Amino acid sequence: MAASIPTALTGVVRTAGELYAIRSFIGIAGGTFVMCQYWTSRMFTKEVAGTANSIVGGWGNLGGGVTQIVMGSALFPLFKIIFANKENPASAAWRTVCIVPAVVAFVWGFILMKISDDCPKGNYSKLKKSGDMPDVSASASFRSGAMNLNTWILFLQYGCCFGVELTMNNLAASYFSEKYGAKTEVAAAIASIFGWMNLFARGLGGFSSDKMNEKLGMRGRLIVQSVTLVAEGVLVFVFANAPSLAVSVTVMVFFSIFVQAAEGSTYGIVPYVNPPVTGSIAGIVGAGGNVGAVCFGLGFRQFEDEMKAFTLMGSCIIVSGLLSLFVCIKG
């Protein structure tokens, strides 16, 4: 609900500084990912937490792509028609169209506050008053999560899957345009395929993690984690060396599937690290995705030869997959 206010105010921006400020405040909404992953971890048993977390997270990522399509292809043209009598219909349209997602976000946030429960037993406030739930301070929870080595291994691994997804979302369209000469519209459409894999790929990773957990326990989850990350890293090299646009797009589809499967697998492990402080651990691990995106993004900016950047990214991903050998969780 808080992020809906700066979203609605996007149209009042006049300078770059104002844009940076507004986008920073809109970023508050990104924090709901962590709360959502914690919520699903509490609402579902750990045996199916991987599937639940991955479906919710995957469809959350998909929402960004759907919003771009709806805003750009449906609402923006509609608002230009509405403001056809204005001096500059396009300017008036983009300055007002962001009110729509702001209203949707605010209303949905209000509905969640009124009808949802914190966990299957009810709301935390009542459970704490009745003594059925211990009252743990946020600082103690964060300290406990941050002192766990497993948290930081998952932090690095999530940076090498969700961070890679964010990086590809930023550069895929220009990559196809520059390397294969695809038109801007075509390149953008092809690049969007990466995000559309969230329809099922992240859920597939969580589901696979749950199934392997049934057979091998935590070792099964870690096997899925390593396999998806190593396969993702290998496919980075294949993608970078694709000889044609058709081959590149085909490889990207499989590359994207393993990227998002690794994301789902990661959050199939998170609830097991230290259950009482799952929220803090989910937050730290989630931040790894953004850190990974920044690091890989800097790599592509620093290297003039994109092949070197892809080599660096692919190597980091493969190494991160091998880090599962050092994860020590009971189960």
Side-chain angles (χ1 to χ4, degrees):
M1 291 172 66
S4 66
I5 298 173
T7 301
L9 294 174
T10 301
V12 304
V13 169
R14 289 292 185 275
T15 67
E18 291 175 355
L19 178 61
Y20 296 150
I22 236 34
R23 290 195 63 174
S24 296
F25 285 112
I26 291 174
I28 293 170
T32 59
F33 166 78
V34 174
M35 291 178 274
C36 191
Q37 292 292 279
Y38 176 66
W39 191 18
T40 50
S41 296
R42 299 289 292 180
M43 293 299 289
F44 296 89
T45 64
K46 290 191 293 184
E47 287 73 20
V48 297
T51 303
N53 282 341
S54 58
I55 291 175
V56 170
W59 279 59
N61 291 350
L62 179 66
V66 172
T67 300
Q68 285 189 337
I69 292 174
V70 172
M71 293 280 285
S73 302
L75 293 179
F76 182 65
L78 175 62
F79 273 61
K80 282 202 296 184
I81 294 174
I82 294 173
F83 293 108
N85 294 327
K86 295 283 186 178
E87 182 179 347
N88 190 337
S91 177
W94 84 258
R95 290 185 179 280
T96 53
V97 72
C98 285
I99 294 174
V100 176
V103 171
V104 172
F106 187 89
V107 170
W108 189 243
F110 182 79
I111 291 173
L112 284 177
M113 288 178 60
K114 293 297 182 182
I115 69 172
S116 62
D117 293 327
D118 294 335
C119 66
K121 292 183 179 180
N123 291 320
Y124 293 151
S125 58
K126 293 182 179 179
L127 292 173
K128 290 177 181 178
K129 286 181 180 179
S130 65
D132 294 325
M133 179 180 179
D135 191 359
V136 181
S137 70
S139 59
S141 173
F142 181 82
R143 185 166 57 252
S144 180
M147 293 298 290
N148 194 313
L149 176 63
N150 298 316
T151 300
W152 295 104
I153 292 176
L154 293 173
F155 172 93
L156 293 172
Q157 291 183 327
Y158 199 62
C160 288
C161 50
F162 186 59
V164 171
E165 179 178 356
L166 294 177
T167 301
M168 291 301 296
N169 286 342
N170 289 331
L171 68 85
S174 60
Y175 176 77
F176 288 123
S177 180
E178 293 172 7
K179 184 170 182 177
Y180 299 108
K183 293 182 179 179
T184 303
E185 297 83 355
V186 174
I190 294 172
S192 70
I193 296 173
F194 204 98
W196 280 103
M197 293 298 104
N198 275 298
L199 275 169
F200 71 92
R202 186 162 179 154
L204 181 62
F207 178 76
S208 301
S209 181
D210 288 341
K211 286 302 178 182
M212 287 295 285
N213 179 61
E214 291 178 6
K215 297 180 179 180
L216 300 173
M218 179 52 62
R219 189 196 309 171
R221 291 191 185 277
L222 294 174
I223 288 173
V224 172
Q225 181 81 341
S226 292
V227 169
T228 53
L229 282 167
V230 171
E232 173 195 337
V234 170
L235 285 169
V236 169
F237 290 101
V238 179
F239 175 77
N241 289 281
S244 66
L245 178 60
V247 174
S248 183
V249 172
T250 302
V251 173
M252 186 187 72
V253 170
F254 291 99
F255 170 34
S256 177
I257 289 173
F258 279 103
V259 167
Q260 288 149 21
E263 296 167 9
S265 174
T266 301
Y267 273 89
I269 298 171
V270 165
Y272 287 83
V273 176
N274 188 348
V277 296
T278 296
S280 295
I281 294 170
I284 294 171
V285 173
N290 299 91
V291 172
V294 171
C295 292
F296 291 132
L298 287 173
F300 278 94
R301 289 186 63 182
Q302 294 299 317
F303 291 115
E304 293 183 4
D305 183 3
E306 287 185 333
M307 184 59 67
K308 291 183 179 179
F310 277 118
T311 299
L312 173 65
M313 186 165 74
S315 301
C316 289
I317 296 167
I318 292 173
V319 171
S320 76
L322 300 178
L323 290 178
S324 295
L325 295 170
F326 301 98
V327 173
C328 184
I329 302 173
K330 294 180 180 180

